[in-house]
Amino acid sequence: MIFTCNTCGLNFPTAEDQRSHMKSDWHRYNLKRRVAQLPPIEEDLFNTKVASLTIDDENTIAVKPKGEKQLTKKDQRRKEKEAIQEKKRQILEVARQAMLAKMKEEGITEVTPEVTDKEVVEPTEETVEQVLPTEEASNSNEELTEEQEADKILQEKMKNKIEITPTTCLFSQPKYNKVFDTVDENIDHMFKNFGLYIPEKTYLVDKEGLIGYLGEKISFGFCIACNYQGRNAEAAREHMKQKRHMRIPYESEDEKLEISQFYDFSSTYADVPASPAAAGESDEDQWEDVSDEGEGAEDDEDDEDDLPPADQDAIYQNGLELVLPSGAVIGHRSMARYYRQNLAPERILSEGQGTVIAAETRHMLSVRDRQELATQKRVWSREKKRSDVNDRRAAKFINQQEHYRDQLLQ
Amino acid sequence: MELAVRQEDADVLLKQKNVLDETVLDKYRTAGQIVQTGLKYIISLINESYHLQKSDQPISVQELCILGDSFLINLLSKVYNNQIKEKGISYPTSIEVNELAYGFSPELDDEGQYFFTAGDVVTISLGVQIDGYTSQVSHTLVIYPPGIELNSEIKPEGPLLGSKADAICASHIATETLMGLLGLSLTPEKLPIALKNEGGISGRLLRNIVDSIAESFGCIVLPGSKIRRIRRFLAGQAEGIVAERDFKGVVWDESHQEERLLNKAPQSQELILSDSKSNIKPSGTNNSSAIPSDEFIVLPGEVYQIDIRISSLNDFNEVGLITLEEIDHFTGKNNKQEFNSKSTIHIRDFAINHQLKLRTSRKLLSEIDNQFSVYPFKLSYTSKHFPIDLSKDLTEQFNDIKQDLKTFKLGLSELNNRHLIKSRPIQLTKFVPLEQILISANPTGKHGIDMNKPVLPGMEIPLPQLGVSSLKLKSLLNKHGKSVTNVRESITVVINNVNNGEIIRLTGGSKSSSPSWVHSQYQLKGAYVEAINQIGQLLQDKRFGIKVKEIYPYKLNQDKSVETSMQLD
């Protein structure tokens, strides 16, 4: 008699052996595989699999107690974000130092902001490229984290980047070679052929910058209107043509702020003097922009936090109130009940009245505390009630008098 | 209290603004000059009407009051027009005859017409403030039988005699002596030897001297008399309403007469219910600096108001005391066939705030707040026909003001009901025999304060030792009170320490109001006679005595307009 296991394809000399096999994990695993219509595996293979898994388990067990609390999704996201920002900062720091070194070499002491802008952008890209390979080498064995992926994409983008000058048409294929003499001609061309409408043209002060910025965006493979990102500029152009995305979005606050640096609305604030915000914008804003492009649309939520309050000079925020440039104050809705109060105007005393009030020593009756009065009233009503109850109780026993008293004779 | 002033502001208002310097003195002087001119003007009106009888109908008290106020306002409109915010009448022109003591300044629409008769003593009181610096004057003159004018002076046929003359003499001497005493605070080395060891010019000394002068003339110093320091905007205009911080002055009330009477009879100690005045709790305040006390020293650089009212007791054969009775317009009309009038002088109480219902009263209140500030006012001041143009027809303007008074009457009563303004009661001087006080049953003791009676804090109980409350005394007056003539002299003096030290007599004096011709049968006597005589000599001595600078009034023209040229002494 032969004892067999059909699942694992084995023969056993004794029933005992068969039974012990049936109880083993290996058999159970193969049973599950069989259910999943997979072939059984050898015992050796199973053992190695088990061994690798237990190592993993040990690792996780060893790690877990350190964390104490189980990480929530929110915390995880936050940590990831912090890590990304930390990395960004490091990159920026390296880049800045490189730039400073470069500047020192060239002996430039004073630079106009525009010049710095351009000079700033290029070194970053270089440094980013320099920095990234080393990092990648150090942890090549490990899984690629999200940020590294992003960096990798960025790197690829950098490779793919082609230069689109402000005088080049943003949407035409390079083969047509639509390059104009001036930016205005270019804008005119794009308006006529592709319907590119530039919002708030009267307040646009830096046309070249705006077109340059859009060109740069496209050159990295981004669509200017939506979150689409293609492999290269050609893909982005194709996408924009297909979707008719050849427009500058100018609806939401974020969209406006994205291109706000090329505008100057200070002439619309009658009272507030034009601020030098556009010129004096710190380097960091510029840096932010670069990194934003690198990470793309995932970072949209961050933008709200990172962006400086652009309307700081126009509207002054005072707690729950907004002070407009005109001097009017807008209060928050939650305070409506206080704004609706109809208080008597403050009395302005003349000197004589002030003197008499200052010399006054009478003690006046103060307005009674409302709460105190309510308590007092409650006490009074309780006393009244008690006496009423007492009267009623007394009335109950009116007939149980020892000696009869005629009511009429009372 | 709802309103409060920051401590720094209070220091500026109460202390720094009261330091004398040239600008402050100039304001005081100008105010004094206007008051002097106003007094001279009213005296000339009375002279023309009663003594010379130039018009067919004598001028009434109502007309005198409104003419006096208009005259003051016209003069005020010519000075300090752009430099200061507040100026105006600080004491509405009031004219009290004989037993009327206080607050009688009838409006034009008053029911009665008040005229003088020969032998009356008439007290004219008025005051103005410029930027809060106040000058006030009261002067009592005698109405003689119609006489003749000699060298622009009224020449009566003979002097006034009797108890009224005694009171006039006493008040005049008291005022002059007090002025001299205040002046001696600048030069203590000139003090008469009898007063040297009193330790400066103290409140007690002032009181004793005035009491001794009054006593030697058989007179009594009335309740409400005072010698008090005045400060900017604090010239005693709201006494009885505001409990003023740092009150400095001597004040007379019934308790001092009581003390004097009890001292005369040391064997009757069983009458005294409570010995010390210290256990009396002032109802208005708990600030001790607001309670008058004699324990102070007069200092140079202060401004004082000397306000002395005196009545003679020579007409009464029995022992008694003199008190003030408020005329109650309503009960007075029903119960007594005596003199009756409505109170017309009102003052705003700034500590009280209330949202008024009537539009007219709101309008009136805002006008009062803006125009009259902390000083008393009459309803006629709110009329748009006020001040009266003295060069035009008067009767027509009087009628216009009468019409205007009606519009604000209703508002005024609401303000009064809400205690936003307080009306100053008209007071009469009454003599009460001590016997009646002692024999009357007084079961409630001294509890019960008459809130209509304007008194300073700590003086709510008129007879603390006998334990008689003000309400009890009031009830006694109905039956046993006898009217008595009072005489008032009030002047404002500045103890000027700015340059070489002098006393500036802002109001009163021979330049505006020479004393009437009276003759008293009494002479000065008592412990202080020598000292008083020496002070009188010092005041006469131009070279080595007390330097007194009198403020001259403007010159009055024949048609009662004032020469525009400023003429400072």
Side-chain angles (χ1 to χ4, degrees), chain B residues 137-267:
Chain B
V137 75
S138 293
H139 175 64
T140 303
L141 54 91
V142 180
I143 305 289
Y144 297 103
I148 42 159
E149 195 175 11
L150 272 182
N151 306 331
S152 75
E153 292 241 346
I154 309 295
K155 196 74 194 165
E157 286 166 16
L160 179 77
L161 301 172
S163 59
K164 287 177 184 173
D166 301 340
I168 289 177
C169 282
S171 65
H172 178 74
I173 293 170
T175 322
E176 297 297 313
T177 311
L178 285 173
M179 187 184 70
L181 267 177
L182 293 181
L184 283 173
S185 69
L186 285 163
T187 51
E189 69 278 359
K190 288 180 190 167
L191 262 176
I193 304 142
L195 310 177
K196 274 262 161 85
N197 49 5
E198 299 265 351
I201 312 290
S202 66
R204 190 169 301 284
L205 175 67
L206 295 174
R207 180 190 295 285
N208 289 342
I209 289 211
V210 176
D211 278 343
S212 85
I213 292 170
E215 199 164 357
S216 58
F217 282 92
C219 295
I220 210 88
V221 185
L222 289 188
S225 306
K226 54 191 167 288
I227 304 156
R228 60 158 294 170
R229 173 185 59 164
I230 61 171
R231 288 178 285 178
R232 186 171 179 242
F233 291 112
L234 300 169
Q237 76 275 10
E239 271 171 12
I241 300 168
V242 171
E244 187 186 321
R245 193 184 302 278
D246 300 330
F247 183 91
K248 191 172 176 184
V250 188
V251 182
W252 279 264
D253 76 339
E254 288 90 345
S255 66
H256 299 105
Q257 296 180 49
E258 177 201 36
E259 206 179 324
R260 192 181 64 100
L261 289 173
L262 289 173
N263 283 344
K264 274 186 178 173
Q267 69 277 11

Side-chain angles (χ1 to χ4, degrees), chain B residues 63-317:
Chain B
E63 287 162 357
L64 277 174
C65 288
I66 193 99
L67 286 176
D69 288 337
S70 302
F71 187 79
L72 292 178
I73 290 284
N74 284 335
L75 284 185
L76 277 169
S77 67
K78 288 174 189 154
V79 295
Y80 287 101
N81 272 330
N82 300 318
Q83 295 107 309
I84 54 163
K85 282 183 183 141
E86 289 171 82
K87 64 177 178 184
I89 291 173
S90 71
Y91 194 111
T93 310
S94 2
I95 293 170
E96 286 110 12
V97 195
N98 294 338
E99 72 267 24
L100 276 168
Y102 202 58
F104 186 59
S105 177
E107 295 277 13
L108 284 170
D109 63 347
D110 201 288
E111 289 143 18
Q113 287 270 319
Y114 305 101
F115 298 104
F116 311 131
T117 51
D120 280 350
V121 289
V122 174
T123 305
I124 305 157
S125 309
L126 49 99
V128 300
Q129 55 103 1
I130 290 174
D131 199 20
Y133 301 106
T134 312
S135 291
Q136 197 249 313
V137 75
S138 293
H139 175 64
T140 303
L141 54 91
V142 180
I143 305 289
Y144 297 103
I148 42 159
E149 195 175 11
L150 272 182
N151 306 331
S152 75
E153 292 241 346
I154 309 295
K155 196 74 194 165
E157 286 166 16
L160 179 77
L161 301 172
S163 59
K164 287 177 184 173
D166 301 340
I168 289 177
C169 282
S171 65
H172 178 74
I173 293 170
T175 322
E176 297 297 313
T177 311
L178 285 173
M179 187 184 70
L181 267 177
L182 293 181
L184 283 173
S185 69
L186 285 163
T187 51
E189 69 278 359
K190 288 180 190 167
L191 262 176
I193 304 142
L195 310 177
K196 274 262 161 85
N197 49 5
E198 299 265 351
I201 312 290
S202 66
R204 190 169 301 284
L205 175 67
L206 295 174
R207 180 190 295 285
N208 289 342
I209 289 211
V210 176
D211 278 343
S212 85
I213 292 170
E215 199 164 357
S216 58
F217 282 92
C219 295
I220 210 88
V221 185
L222 289 188
S225 306
K226 54 191 167 288
I227 304 156
R228 60 158 294 170
R229 173 185 59 164
I230 61 171
R231 288 178 285 178
R232 186 171 179 242
F233 291 112
L234 300 169
Q237 76 275 10
E239 271 171 12
I241 300 168
V242 171
E244 187 186 321
R245 193 184 302 278
D246 300 330
F247 183 91
K248 191 172 176 184
V250 188
V251 182
W252 279 264
D253 76 339
E254 288 90 345
S255 66
H256 299 105
Q257 296 180 49
E258 177 201 36
E259 206 179 324
R260 192 181 64 100
L261 289 173
L262 289 173
N263 283 344
K264 274 186 178 173
Q267 69 277 11
S268 57
Q269 288 300 312
E270 67 270 17
L271 289 173
I272 296 172
L273 289 181
S274 63
D275 250 348
S276 59
K277 281 189 83 180
S278 59
N279 58 357
I280 305 162
K281 249 186 129 187
S283 68
T285 180
N286 46 16
N287 192 315
S288 60
S289 73
I291 300 164
S293 147
D294 288 353
E295 308 304 320
F296 69 90
I297 300 286
V298 175
L299 297 173
E302 291 175 329
V303 184
Y304 276 84
Q305 188 192 333
I306 301 167
D307 180 0
I308 299 295
R309 299 144 201 246
I310 282 180
S311 277
S312 169
L313 290 173
N314 296 329
D315 291 346
F316 303 100
N317 295 323

Side-chain angles (χ1 to χ4, degrees), chain A residues 347 351 353 359-362, chain B residues 232 241 243 245 285 349 369:
Chain A
R347 285 170 79 189
E351 269 189 52
Q353 294 155 8
E360 174 74 272
T361 63
R362 261 183 299 174
Chain B
R232 186 171 179 242
I241 300 168
R245 193 184 302 278
T285 180
D349 186 356
D369 280 357

Side-chain angles (χ1 to χ4, degrees), chain A residues 290-304:
Chain A
V290 172
S291 58
D292 281 353
E293 277 165 27
E295 276 155 34
E298 300 161 9
D299 229 349
D300 268 358
E301 292 150 56
D302 282 2
D303 284 359
E304 280 180 11

